[in-house]
Amino acid sequence: MSSANLATPYYEPGSRITGRATGAAVIGKRFVSLAGKKDPGSRELDPAATGGNMRIKPAIADDPLTVGIAETDAADGKTTTVFTDGFVVPITAGVAIAYGNYIKPGANGKAVVAADRATSWGVSLSDASIDQDAIVLLRL
């Protein structure tokens, strides 16, 4: 197969981002949202820098600042990976979810059914009962 006219991207958006729980612990497999400005990063050896992490907190229902799904539990001040657009991940269901349902954040960052694609953060690829994992394609 030829590689003529190969379009090499100049930039690929981050899809795994490090988040630092701020103000409250976050729970893995649940939606998280922005909790404030990004931590200062360091291009030098700045002792005040905290790694340039995104500050996160548990998402609330219909949270407009939702940024993704926490990979693991993280205590306040600790970090976890945040999965963003394009990932297929398990998310704890807050209601019964069926294959094909559009998904959005509900109470405590759990997945609930969205009315339509315009208000959704992903689509379910599986069925799930309350407090079980739904497999979701994220579309943030």
Side-chain angles (χ1 to χ4, degrees):
M1 191 165 176
S2 173
S3 13
N5 296 316
L6 178 65
T8 304
Y10 289 99
Y11 171 77
E12 292 185 30
S15 53
R16 286 181 194 246
I17 301 169
T18 304
R20 184 171 58 85
T22 305
V26 298
I27 299 173
K29 300 190 289 183
R30 295 194 188 182
F31 284 101
V32 293
S33 65
L34 294 175
K37 296 179 190 175
K38 183 175 101 42
D39 286 339
S42 179
R43 292 181 172 249
E44 319 291 311
L45 295 175
D46 179 359
T50 52
N53 299 314
M54 177 173 56
R55 294 179 186 176
I56 58 171
K57 63 182 179 181
I60 59 173
D62 296 314
D63 197 331
L65 296 178
T66 297
V67 292
I69 304 301
E71 180 179 33
T72 61
D73 294 357
D76 187 18
K78 299 300 181 182
T79 61
T80 184
T81 296
V82 177
F83 297 117
T84 63
D85 194 45
F87 271 92
V88 175
V89 294
I91 305 176
T92 304
V95 298
I97 293 173
Y99 161 80
N101 284 156
Y102 291 114
I103 302 301
K104 65 180 183 176
N108 301 311
K110 293 182 180 181
V112 297
V113 177
D116 53 37
R117 178 160 165 78
T119 60
S120 75
W121 297 95
V123 63
S124 182
L125 304 178
S126 69
D127 298 333
S129 301
I130 297 173
D131 290 327
Q132 299 301 308
D133 292 343
I135 300 170
V136 177
L137 168 61
L138 294 177
R139 295 179 175 166
L140 300 172

